[in-house]
Short mmCIF file of all heavy atoms in Angstrom, two decimals:
data_model
loop_
_atom_site.label_atom_id
_atom_site.label_comp_id
_atom_site.label_asym_id
_atom_site.label_seq_id
_atom_site.Cartn_x
_atom_site.Cartn_y
_atom_site.Cartn_z
N GLY A 1 0.83 -1.19 0.00
CA GLY A 1 0.00 0.00 0.00
C GLY A 1 0.86 1.24 0.00
O GLY A 1 1.94 1.25 0.61
N LEU A 2 0.41 2.27 -0.69
CA LEU A 2 1.15 3.51 -0.77
C LEU A 2 0.66 4.48 0.30
O LEU A 2 -0.51 4.44 0.68
CB LEU A 2 0.99 4.13 -2.16
CG LEU A 2 1.47 3.27 -3.33
CD1 LEU A 2 1.24 4.01 -4.65
CD2 LEU A 2 2.93 2.90 -3.19
N PRO A 3 1.57 5.34 0.80
CA PRO A 3 2.99 5.48 0.43
C PRO A 3 3.87 4.48 1.17
O PRO A 3 3.48 3.92 2.19
CB PRO A 3 3.31 6.91 0.87
CG PRO A 3 2.45 7.10 2.09
CD PRO A 3 1.17 6.38 1.78
N GLY A 4 5.04 4.28 0.62
CA GLY A 4 6.07 3.48 1.29
C GLY A 4 7.42 4.09 0.97
O GLY A 4 7.66 4.52 -0.16
N VAL A 5 8.28 4.15 1.96
CA VAL A 5 9.61 4.75 1.78
C VAL A 5 10.67 3.72 2.12
O VAL A 5 10.61 3.08 3.18
CB VAL A 5 9.77 6.00 2.67
CG1 VAL A 5 11.24 6.44 2.73
CG2 VAL A 5 8.92 7.15 2.13
N VAL A 6 11.63 3.56 1.21
CA VAL A 6 12.76 2.66 1.44
C VAL A 6 14.01 3.53 1.65
O VAL A 6 14.30 4.40 0.85
CB VAL A 6 12.98 1.70 0.26
CG1 VAL A 6 14.18 0.79 0.52
CG2 VAL A 6 11.73 0.87 0.01
N LEU A 7 14.72 3.26 2.73
CA LEU A 7 15.97 3.97 3.01
C LEU A 7 17.13 3.09 2.56
O LEU A 7 17.18 1.90 2.90
CB LEU A 7 16.09 4.26 4.51
CG LEU A 7 14.94 5.06 5.14
CD1 LEU A 7 15.20 5.29 6.63
CD2 LEU A 7 14.73 6.38 4.42
N MET A 8 18.05 3.68 1.80
CA MET A 8 19.19 2.96 1.24
C MET A 8 20.48 3.71 1.51
O MET A 8 20.47 4.94 1.68
CB MET A 8 19.03 2.81 -0.28
CG MET A 8 17.79 2.13 -0.74
SD MET A 8 17.72 2.07 -2.57
CE MET A 8 16.23 1.11 -2.82
N ASP A 9 21.60 2.98 1.49
CA ASP A 9 22.89 3.66 1.56
C ASP A 9 23.27 4.15 0.16
O ASP A 9 22.50 4.01 -0.79
CB ASP A 9 23.97 2.75 2.17
CG ASP A 9 24.24 1.49 1.35
OD1 ASP A 9 23.96 1.49 0.12
OD2 ASP A 9 24.75 0.51 1.91
N GLU A 10 24.45 4.73 0.05
CA GLU A 10 24.84 5.35 -1.21
C GLU A 10 25.01 4.34 -2.35
O GLU A 10 24.96 4.71 -3.53
CB GLU A 10 26.14 6.16 -1.03
CG GLU A 10 27.39 5.32 -0.85
CD GLU A 10 27.56 4.75 0.55
OE1 GLU A 10 26.69 5.01 1.41
OE2 GLU A 10 28.56 4.03 0.78
N LYS A 11 25.16 3.07 -2.02
CA LYS A 11 25.29 2.03 -3.04
C LYS A 11 23.93 1.46 -3.45
O LYS A 11 23.87 0.58 -4.31
CB LYS A 11 26.19 0.91 -2.52
CG LYS A 11 27.63 1.34 -2.26
CD LYS A 11 28.45 0.18 -1.71
CE LYS A 11 29.88 0.61 -1.42
NZ LYS A 11 30.69 -0.49 -0.83
N GLY A 12 22.88 1.93 -2.81
CA GLY A 12 21.56 1.42 -3.11
C GLY A 12 21.18 0.19 -2.30
O GLY A 12 20.18 -0.47 -2.61
N MET A 13 21.95 -0.11 -1.25
CA MET A 13 21.62 -1.25 -0.40
C MET A 13 20.63 -0.79 0.67
O MET A 13 20.91 0.11 1.46
CB MET A 13 22.89 -1.82 0.25
CG MET A 13 23.90 -2.34 -0.75
SD MET A 13 23.21 -3.59 -1.89
CE MET A 13 22.84 -4.93 -0.75
N PRO A 14 19.44 -1.40 0.73
CA PRO A 14 18.39 -0.93 1.63
C PRO A 14 18.64 -1.33 3.08
O PRO A 14 19.20 -2.40 3.35
CB PRO A 14 17.15 -1.62 1.08
CG PRO A 14 17.68 -2.90 0.51
CD PRO A 14 19.03 -2.57 -0.07
N TYR A 15 18.21 -0.48 4.00
CA TYR A 15 18.35 -0.84 5.41
C TYR A 15 17.08 -0.62 6.23
O TYR A 15 17.01 -1.03 7.38
CB TYR A 15 19.54 -0.13 6.06
CG TYR A 15 19.56 1.38 5.92
CD1 TYR A 15 18.83 2.19 6.78
CD2 TYR A 15 20.36 1.99 4.96
CE1 TYR A 15 18.86 3.57 6.66
CE2 TYR A 15 20.41 3.37 4.85
CZ TYR A 15 19.66 4.15 5.70
OH TYR A 15 19.70 5.52 5.60
N ASP A 16 16.07 0.01 5.65
CA ASP A 16 14.79 0.10 6.37
C ASP A 16 13.68 0.47 5.41
O ASP A 16 13.92 1.01 4.32
CB ASP A 16 14.85 1.12 7.50
CG ASP A 16 13.81 0.84 8.59
OD1 ASP A 16 13.20 -0.25 8.55
OD2 ASP A 16 13.62 1.68 9.48
N ILE A 17 12.45 0.14 5.82
CA ILE A 17 11.26 0.47 5.05
C ILE A 17 10.25 1.09 6.00
O ILE A 17 9.98 0.56 7.08
CB ILE A 17 10.65 -0.79 4.39
CG1 ILE A 17 11.67 -1.44 3.45
CG2 ILE A 17 9.37 -0.44 3.64
CD1 ILE A 17 11.21 -2.76 2.87
N ILE A 18 9.69 2.23 5.60
CA ILE A 18 8.67 2.91 6.40
C ILE A 18 7.36 2.84 5.62
O ILE A 18 7.26 3.38 4.52
CB ILE A 18 9.06 4.37 6.67
CG1 ILE A 18 10.44 4.44 7.35
CG2 ILE A 18 8.01 5.05 7.55
CD1 ILE A 18 10.97 5.86 7.51
N HIS A 19 6.38 2.19 6.20
CA HIS A 19 5.09 2.04 5.53
C HIS A 19 4.14 3.15 6.00
O HIS A 19 4.03 3.44 7.18
CB HIS A 19 4.48 0.67 5.85
CG HIS A 19 5.27 -0.48 5.30
ND1 HIS A 19 5.15 -0.92 4.00
CD2 HIS A 19 6.20 -1.28 5.88
CE1 HIS A 19 5.95 -1.94 3.80
NE2 HIS A 19 6.61 -2.18 4.92
N GLY A 20 3.46 3.76 5.05
CA GLY A 20 2.46 4.76 5.38
C GLY A 20 3.05 6.11 5.72
O GLY A 20 4.27 6.32 5.71
N ALA A 21 2.15 7.05 6.03
CA ALA A 21 2.55 8.39 6.44
C ALA A 21 2.23 8.56 7.93
O ALA A 21 1.75 7.63 8.58
CB ALA A 21 1.81 9.43 5.61
N ARG A 22 2.52 9.73 8.45
CA ARG A 22 2.14 10.10 9.81
C ARG A 22 1.55 11.51 9.75
O ARG A 22 1.66 12.19 8.75
CB ARG A 22 3.34 10.04 10.76
CG ARG A 22 4.01 8.67 10.86
CD ARG A 22 3.07 7.61 11.42
NE ARG A 22 3.76 6.33 11.63
CZ ARG A 22 3.92 5.40 10.72
NH1 ARG A 22 3.47 5.60 9.47
NH2 ARG A 22 4.53 4.27 11.01
N ARG A 23 0.97 11.96 10.83
CA ARG A 23 0.29 13.25 10.78
C ARG A 23 1.26 14.42 10.64
O ARG A 23 0.99 15.39 9.95
CB ARG A 23 -0.55 13.45 12.06
CG ARG A 23 -1.77 12.56 12.14
CD ARG A 23 -2.64 12.90 13.34
NE ARG A 23 -1.86 12.86 14.58
CZ ARG A 23 -1.64 13.91 15.35
NH1 ARG A 23 -2.13 15.09 15.02
NH2 ARG A 23 -0.93 13.80 16.46
N THR A 24 2.40 14.34 11.32
CA THR A 24 3.31 15.48 11.38
C THR A 24 4.74 15.04 11.14
O THR A 24 5.09 13.85 11.30
CB THR A 24 3.24 16.16 12.76
OG1 THR A 24 3.74 15.23 13.75
CG2 THR A 24 1.81 16.56 13.11
N PRO A 25 5.63 15.98 10.78
CA PRO A 25 7.06 15.65 10.67
C PRO A 25 7.62 15.10 11.98
O PRO A 25 8.45 14.18 11.97
CB PRO A 25 7.70 16.99 10.31
CG PRO A 25 6.61 17.78 9.67
CD PRO A 25 5.35 17.37 10.36
N GLU A 26 7.12 15.64 13.09
CA GLU A 26 7.64 15.20 14.40
C GLU A 26 7.29 13.75 14.69
O GLU A 26 8.00 13.08 15.45
CB GLU A 26 7.07 16.12 15.50
CG GLU A 26 7.64 17.53 15.49
CD GLU A 26 7.15 18.38 14.32
OE1 GLU A 26 6.05 18.07 13.76
OE2 GLU A 26 7.85 19.34 13.96
N GLU A 27 6.20 13.25 14.09
CA GLU A 27 5.85 11.84 14.27
C GLU A 27 6.60 10.95 13.28
O GLU A 27 6.83 9.77 13.56
CB GLU A 27 4.34 11.65 14.09
CG GLU A 27 3.51 12.29 15.19
CD GLU A 27 2.02 12.17 14.93
OE1 GLU A 27 1.64 11.65 13.86
OE2 GLU A 27 1.23 12.61 15.78
#
């Protein structure tokens, strides 16, 4: 389901996935 964010290092190797959004930047 969208949105989904994948965090990668500079080589493109992934290290985490964040599913969904949150209400605020602080969350």
Side-chain angles (χ1 to χ4, degrees):
L2 300 180
V5 167
V6 180
L7 304 180
M8 303 179 176
D9 63 23
E10 72 282 0
K11 296 178 181 178
M13 299 304 295
Y15 54 82
D16 203 11
I17 300 174
I18 304 173
H19 295 277
R22 300 298 185 274
R23 290 186 305 117
T24 65
E26 289 72 23
E27 292 176 356

